[in-house]
Amino acid sequence: MNDRTRIIRFYYFFQFTFTLLFWTPVFFEYQKRMGLTDPEIFRIQSLYYVMFCLFELPTGYFADRFGYVKSMVIGAILLVAANVSAVYFVTFVGFLLHWGLVALARSFVSGASSAYLFEYLRRTNAHAEFKQIEGNARAYSLFGRVLCFAVVGYLMAWHVTLPYWLTAGSAFLAVVLALLLPNLGGLTSGAGESVDGAASADGKNIPARAKKLSFRVAIAHVSKSPRLLALMFQGVVVFVLARVISVNLFQPILHLKGFGIQAYGLVMAGMTLVEAVGSAR
């Protein structure tokens, strides 16, 4: 196995383990059993989406400034902490902390992982393969979730906290896998100099092109492009609406219609299967 194949496989496994949130189909039921009311649960979810959007900018800056692997490692560690907190801190504040950590963990990884893959492929003159490899990574992780979601209702019926412990274990594996990835740096190194002048993975020097990162410069570029602003706003709206419909609302709807907890995971597994096929294509 050559280095490129090995690194891409590590990337696949990282995405698989980091995104394997066993509790996704049953978190509403879990929080109700822990004593939260419906309004409290929806209030936490509203704050979660706000936090996730707000965290994206500073965590993206961190990844570009200090390195994508560091950002991925931190995100995976935070995800471990988030799942452990959901077991031991079962109050409104405790679950708000849990979802805040989940939002921060996902923000650290969401852009950094894709940027890592693209930068690695660019340095090996294989950036044309990025779209398919990223789609494969997403599809593999979704197919894994299909299997997990299908049984998570039965796992929770057996032991109510088991979905969170399994997710914490999966996130811990993601920490290990991130540490096994070679460090490419970010757009600039920790000292501020460009990493693009360093030797690439194929032994050739890459022309220096990155400049020291600046929020002021980034905001100036964005403000000059109304189309980009509209695209960013549209992306946030579509993401939130899709998540609210497919994750937040279907659990209380199934509950009101009399379905048992075992059905929650089966329904979400069916939805996720469609998404997985789309990602693979």
Side-chain angles (χ1 to χ4, degrees):
M1 185 190 305
N2 59 41
D3 285 345
R4 192 165 81 87
T5 301
R6 178 176 58 84
I7 290 171
I8 290 173
R9 287 186 179 179
F10 279 156
Y11 180 80
Y12 284 159
F13 284 126
F14 172 82
Q15 290 285 35
F16 183 89
T17 53
F18 181 81
T19 60
L20 204 60
L21 305 179
F22 283 81
W23 45 260
T24 303
V26 294
F27 76 83
F28 191 92
E29 179 67 20
Y30 177 78
Q31 291 179 67
K32 284 185 71 71
R33 291 191 184 186
M34 295 300 112
L36 268 65
T37 64
D38 288 5
E40 287 177 324
I41 295 172
F42 285 121
R43 193 174 303 126
I44 291 173
Q45 287 298 293
S46 299
L47 293 171
Y48 163 74
Y49 289 117
V50 172
M51 289 187 289
F52 183 78
C53 294
L54 292 178
F55 288 155
E56 280 290 305
L57 184 60
T59 54
Y61 177 86
F62 177 93
D64 286 337
R65 184 71 172 81
F66 298 104
Y68 306 127
V69 169
K70 288 180 181 177
S71 187
M72 292 161 69
V73 170
I74 292 172
I77 291 173
L78 287 171
L79 190 58
V80 174
N83 287 282
V84 173
S85 72
V87 175
Y88 291 106
F89 303 104
V90 290
T91 62
F92 177 85
V93 174
F95 282 116
L96 183 60
L97 171 65
H98 161 72
W99 283 101
L101 289 172
V102 171
L104 187 57
R106 296 188 66 186
S107 297
F108 264 110
V109 172
S110 62
S113 59
S114 296
Y116 176 88
L117 176 64
F118 183 84
E119 183 64 14
Y120 175 77
L121 293 174
R122 186 181 70 82
R123 295 186 186 195
T124 55
N125 296 318
H127 54 278
E129 301 175 27
F130 169 79
K131 184 177 180 180
Q132 187 59 56
I133 293 175
E134 182 75 344
N136 290 343
R138 173 76 174 166
Y140 294 152
S141 66
L142 287 169
F143 280 123
R145 274 180 268 179
V146 169
L147 299 176
C148 295
F149 290 168
V151 299
V152 70
Y154 300 93
L155 294 174
M156 185 175 173
W158 180 41
H159 195 290
V160 70
T161 62
L162 189 55
Y164 288 90
W165 284 117
L166 290 173
T167 306
S170 182
F172 178 78
L173 290 177
V175 175
V176 175
L177 289 163
L179 291 171
L180 292 174
L181 291 170
N183 188 17
L184 303 179
L187 293 180
T188 60
S189 72
E193 66 271 12
S194 169
V195 298
D196 285 329
S200 68
D202 60 1
K204 299 178 181 178
N205 286 334
I206 298 172
R209 61 174 176 81
K211 296 181 180 180
K212 189 171 182 179
L213 299 175
S214 166
F215 274 121
R216 182 178 58 81
V217 173
I219 292 172
H221 280 293
V222 172
S223 63
K224 294 177 182 177
S225 176
R227 181 177 296 181
L228 177 58
L229 281 171
L231 186 63
M232 292 167 64
F233 179 75
Q234 173 185 290
V236 171
V237 171
V238 170
F239 166 77
V240 172
L241 288 178
R243 290 282 298 179
V244 167
I245 293 169
S246 64
V247 177
N248 298 91
L249 292 182
F250 94 96
Q251 294 182 57
I253 289 173
L254 290 180
H255 175 77
L256 288 174
K257 291 184 177 294
F259 286 90
I261 191 172
Q262 290 83 0
Y264 294 7
L266 292 172
V267 171
M268 180 162 277
M271 294 189 296
T272 305
L273 181 61
V274 176
E275 187 180 355
V277 173
S279 293
R281 301 298 299 171

